[in-house]
Amino acid sequence: MLIALIPVLFVVFTPASDEYQLLVETRLQTSIVNTVVLLGGVGLLSALFGSTAAWLVSIYEFKGRKLLSWLLMLPLAIPSYILAYVFVDVLRFSSPIQTVSYSLLGRYLNPMSLTSAIVLFSLGLYPYVYVVVRSFLSRQSATMFDAARLFGVKRVKLFVGYGLPLMRASIISSVVLVLMEVLSDYGLVDYFGIVTFTTLIFGSWFRFRQITTALRFSLWLLVIVFVVLGAERLFSNKKRFAYATTKVRSLRRMRLTSAQQTGVWIYLGGLLLIAFVIPLIQLFIWASQTYSISINPNLGQAVLATLAVALLAGFSILVLTIILANVGRNRPKLMETILLRITLFGYSVPGAVVAVIMLLLFQRLDAAVDVVAMSVFGLPRGLFLSGTILMLLSAYVVRFMAIGYQSIESNYQKIGTNFTNASYLLGKGKLATLWLVDVPMLLPGMASAMILVTIDIIKELPLTLVLRPFNFNTLATLTFRYAAEEQVAMGAVAALIMILLSSVVIYVISRPRKDPRYGR
């Protein structure tokens, strides 16, 4: 990835094309404004939804809390572009919601506006904030909250005055993940006709076939990414919290009255209803209307293609991350840090940028293969690697390696080095130790990494759209193709399969596990 960035930087020093100049004059200002508004709006709204939901299920005890704490993660199973397809239909001109809106406000709601995009992104991505903040709160001491209750601090003040400052670092770090997803999105903004840097990158390639123009806009997008990451580091480094004693008591949830429980259920249930239940119902309605024609060989091929690339890329990432984590483990801390930064870099870069970089890299590789073929065989090879499954799989590996690496590395930290060192003392080599000692103990982390990577690849749209071979469709691209052809209902079955796979993964990862040491 870093090697591929070198020729990208040289694009700055090459003359700009007429297409790039045209897009700069007509679309650049609009894309900057739209991107900034999207990032600001989605960041604030997803932080509000995610932090309040995490606070309520972590601090308070009410009926159905355990079930609701898991259900609130399910909106993550629905890609943002599918939410867009659903709500454009739900808010169609003749819908009851539009009738009520006109009666109360004197105007109809615009389901394809920038405001609608902000709301839909926030509904689909708030689980990132929810999961991170809930995990943070689960590790907090009860001392501060008990003291606040003792002094009669009201519930709202407890959240605003105590909770938000405490959760600030976790909220900021999780919001950055949300913003990375917004910057990477193509399906929703393209469907709504919102001009962003991602749509300019795709337009440069799909309409003009200008890779240098796409690379120039990729550099603009990279600048925004680095600004977001820099802001996150600046704000999250301001304050640090630590326990003042080793005697840490776990949180005791405060009980709510019946009226308060009703209010919590209205808020959290409403959030879940809009973000997950309504889209799911609408997709089932569409599927019931179109299943007789949408369940066809194309769907079967898309399912097989999706599973094939997801499993192949997932296995490749698994092997590479185990090797990298093992190398970093046996080297000084500096090496481990460098490896972590390299793997995290690909996940920080939007999918559209990764796609363009991989296109350029494989064009250079094809040119090198062509030179060798001419000198050895006297025949040109043409496009030998570009447009193949190999290019798509390589892009997946670059984009999602960070997910696998973090999972494997965290498991390496848990198992320590005692068993590995004992194996070395018994005369086993590094490869034998890795296979016989490390891998068996890493199996839980390997399974978690494989599941997480696989589900992200199943939902991935921008990378697959650009790099897929000719006449190759995954579930994501098939759903997008139907929407582009104004046949949204035809893609409902494919969308439901994606959501089902994602929901199963969310359950497997987040289900309560018994601790064998304590039997609970």
Side-chain angles (χ1 to χ4, degrees):
M1 181 69 181
L2 295 176
I3 295 173
L5 275 176
I6 296 173
V8 174
L9 297 176
F10 282 109
V11 171
V12 178
F13 305 102
T14 60
S17 64
D18 293 337
E19 290 82 2
Y20 175 76
Q21 295 290 353
L22 176 64
L23 290 172
V24 166
E25 293 172 4
T26 59
R27 298 295 182 91
L28 182 60
Q29 184 176 351
T30 304
S31 67
I32 292 174
V33 172
N34 288 345
T35 300
V36 171
V37 172
L38 271 177
L39 294 180
V42 175
L44 290 173
L45 203 55
S46 61
L48 174 65
F49 291 158
S51 61
T52 52
W55 178 265
L56 290 172
V57 300
S58 300
I59 304 300
Y60 300 109
E61 185 62 57
F62 52 91
K63 290 182 179 179
R65 184 192 63 81
K66 289 183 179 179
L67 176 64
L68 197 57
S69 66
W70 175 73
L71 291 175
L72 285 167
M73 290 186 280
L74 288 179
L76 201 60
I78 304 182
S80 298
Y81 52 89
I82 292 178
L83 273 180
Y85 305 156
V86 168
F87 278 97
V88 166
D89 185 78
V90 170
L91 297 176
R92 63 188 180 276
F93 180 75
S94 59
S95 69
I97 298 175
Q98 293 286 25
T99 303
V100 172
S101 173
Y102 189 79
S103 301
L104 296 177
L105 305 175
R107 62 184 180 85
Y108 295 106
L109 299 175
N110 181 4
M112 302 181 77
S113 64
L114 189 60
T115 303
S116 299
I118 291 172
V119 173
L120 292 179
F121 273 130
S122 302
L123 289 171
L125 298 174
Y126 83 84
Y128 281 109
V129 182
Y130 168 74
V131 170
V132 173
V133 174
R134 192 187 69 166
S135 175
F136 172 79
L137 289 173
S138 69
R139 300 190 301 270
Q140 297 311 300
S141 170
T143 305
M144 186 189 73
F145 296 97
D146 289 346
R149 281 199 294 257
L150 184 64
F151 285 103
V153 177
K154 300 296 183 183
R155 298 185 191 276
V156 175
K157 187 177 180 180
L158 181 65
F159 173 72
V160 176
Y162 294 82
L164 283 180
L166 189 68
M167 298 183 296
R168 190 180 75 167
S170 58
I171 290 174
I172 291 173
S173 62
S174 55
V175 165
V176 168
L177 292 176
V178 172
L179 299 185
M180 292 299 105
E181 293 294 327
V182 173
L183 288 174
S184 296
D185 179 80
Y186 174 69
L188 188 151
V189 292
D190 178 69
Y191 189 63
F192 279 11
I194 298 172
V195 180
T196 64
F197 282 104
T198 306
T199 59
L200 289 178
I201 292 169
F202 275 81
S204 301
W205 177 246
F206 285 134
R207 294 187 180 92
F208 300 122
R209 291 294 170 183
Q210 286 279 338
I211 193 169
T212 55
T213 301
L215 286 171
R216 286 180 179 275
F217 286 118
S218 297
L219 289 174
W220 280 94
L221 192 52
L222 280 175
V223 170
I224 296 176
V225 168
F226 290 136
V227 168
V228 170
L229 293 176
E232 185 266 341
R233 182 169 291 273
L234 176 67
F235 286 111
S236 62
N237 280 344
K238 287 286 184 178
K239 292 184 179 180
R240 290 284 186 266
F241 298 93
Y243 295 130
T245 176
T246 56
K247 297 178 180 179
V248 179
R249 293 184 294 110
S250 58
L251 277 173
R252 292 182 302 163
R253 296 184 183 88
M254 294 181 277
R255 294 195 172 275
L256 298 174
T257 64
S258 298
Q260 290 169 338
Q261 290 187 44
T262 302
V264 169
W265 263 100
I266 289 174
Y267 173 64
L268 298 181
L271 189 62
L272 184 64
L273 179 71
I274 298 172
F276 186 76
V277 178
I278 290 177
L280 200 64
I281 291 173
Q282 183 60 59
L283 288 171
F284 272 113
I285 292 172
W286 283 339
S288 67
Q289 296 170 347
T290 62
Y291 74 92
S292 59
I293 52 177
S294 60
I295 299 178
N296 53 39
N298 288 335
L299 178 64
Q301 291 170 6
V303 172
L304 292 175
T306 301
L307 293 175
V309 295
L311 293 174
L312 282 171
F315 181 75
S316 302
I317 289 172
L318 200 60
V319 172
L320 288 172
T321 50
I322 289 174
I323 294 172
L324 284 174
N326 191 61
V327 170
R329 187 172 178 236
N330 296 313
R331 295 292 186 278
K333 196 69 178 178
L334 178 61
M335 174 64 75
E336 184 180 338
T337 303
I338 292 172
L339 289 173
L340 177 62
R341 293 302 177 191
I342 291 173
T343 54
L344 288 178
F345 183 75
Y347 196 66
S348 302
V349 178
V353 179
V354 174
V356 174
I357 291 173
M358 296 306 291
L359 274 174
L360 181 65
L361 177 61
F362 273 77
Q363 282 185 1
R364 298 290 187 270
L365 290 174
D366 274 332
V369 170
D370 198 55
V371 170
V372 173
M374 281 293 293
S375 61
V376 176
F377 303 106
L379 295 172
R381 292 295 301 173
L383 296 178
F384 182 66
L385 299 172
S386 298
T388 63
I389 289 290
L390 179 62
M391 183 168 69
L392 182 60
L393 293 176
S394 301
Y396 286 147
V397 170
V398 169
R399 180 82 170 91
F400 299 113
M401 186 180 289
I403 301 173
Y405 183 85
Q406 287 182 320
S407 181
I408 298 298
E409 177 60 24
S410 64
N411 275 265
Y412 258 136
Q413 291 175 1
K414 289 178 184 177
I415 65 178
T417 58
N418 292 336
F419 295 103
T420 304
N421 292 334
S423 177
Y424 292 155
L425 288 174
L426 291 173
K428 297 293 184 182
K430 290 186 177 181
L431 188 60
T433 299
L434 176 63
W435 178 251
L436 297 174
V437 178
D438 292 349
V439 169
M441 291 192 291
L442 287 172
L443 284 177
M446 291 167 62
S448 176
M450 187 72 178
I451 290 171
L452 287 171
V453 169
T454 299
I455 209 61
D456 267 353
I457 292 172
I458 287 172
K459 293 165 53 180
E460 175 62 32
L461 179 64
L463 271 181
T464 317
L465 272 178
V466 176
L467 302 178
R468 60 185 173 143
F470 178 74
N471 204 28
F472 181 90
N473 277 309
T474 62
L475 290 169
T477 59
L478 185 65
T479 305
F480 180 80
R481 193 191 77 186
Y482 281 130
E485 295 172 355
E486 299 298 330
Q487 294 178 309
V488 177
M490 285 288 292
V493 176
L496 284 172
I497 294 173
M498 274 195 294
I499 293 169
L500 175 63
L501 292 172
S502 302
S503 300
V504 169
V505 170
I506 290 172
Y507 172 74
V508 168
I509 294 171
S510 62
R511 75 185 188 277
R513 293 173 174 83
K514 291 184 178 180
D515 192 327
R517 298 171 297 174
Y518 305 106
R520 65 179 187 268

